[in-house]
Amino acid sequence: MTTESPLHARDERFMSEALALAREAGAAGEVPVGAVVALDGEIVGRGCNRPISSRDPTAHAEIIALRDAAQRLGNYRLPGCELFVTLEPCAMCTGAIFHARIARVVFGARDPKTGAAGSVLNLYAEPRLNHHAEIVGDVLSAECAHLLSSFFAAQRARSQLA
């Protein structure tokens, strides 16, 4: 008999919150990615993808969640915070994660095109960088990947009808 660790259960709880935000993004026509920042077991930042609606290439879910947490906590540094995101962070988001001093990053689906936590490159393992975060992947990965693949399948179907 295997028992689920408290850390794993907590990771899944926060990832479920990120998934809800990803669904909001998808419903708004954005790529369905969601993120939450947690500190001491409480969500202090939330974000979902908004680059299309905001006309901002930096408006990834992670960036929005980091900005929200920084405003709420009153500091651009977020030591001790954890970031939960439904898709493996890209290089841009990883840079922001490092600058914010996030302690731990938990992601759902891997990103074989832009993932910077091992899929394309691994910035989290680069020893020359001045900050590192613990990285945990594949939490609720099937749900995260399904949300993304369903979104893109619907996009392709719409474009074929046009």
Side-chain angles (χ1 to χ4, degrees), residues 11-33:
D11 287 353
E12 287 189 352
R13 179 172 60 92
F14 286 127
M15 189 61 71
S16 293
E17 293 289 332
L19 272 163
L21 290 164
R23 288 185 196 95
E24 287 180 27
E30 301 278 0
V31 175
V33 179

Side-chain angles (χ1 to χ4, degrees), residues 27-104:
E30 301 278 0
V31 175
V33 179
V36 297
V37 176
L39 177 64
D40 298 328
E42 299 294 325
I43 294 175
V44 296
R46 297 174 188 273
C48 62
N49 264 6
R50 295 194 319 224
I52 298 166
S53 61
S54 66
R55 295 172 194 81
D56 178 359
T58 69
H60 288 196
E62 299 95 311
I63 303 294
I64 303 297
L66 291 171
R67 288 176 180 159
D68 187 33
Q71 288 300 306
R72 288 182 192 213
L73 297 175
N75 192 347
Y76 76 107
R77 299 275 198 220
L78 302 170
C81 287
E82 300 172 287
L83 176 74
F84 297 82
V85 60
T86 58
L87 183 64
E88 179 181 358
C90 69
M92 176 186 71
C93 292
T94 296
I97 288 163
F98 287 177
H99 284 289
R101 302 300 193 255
I102 293 291
R104 185 168 178 263

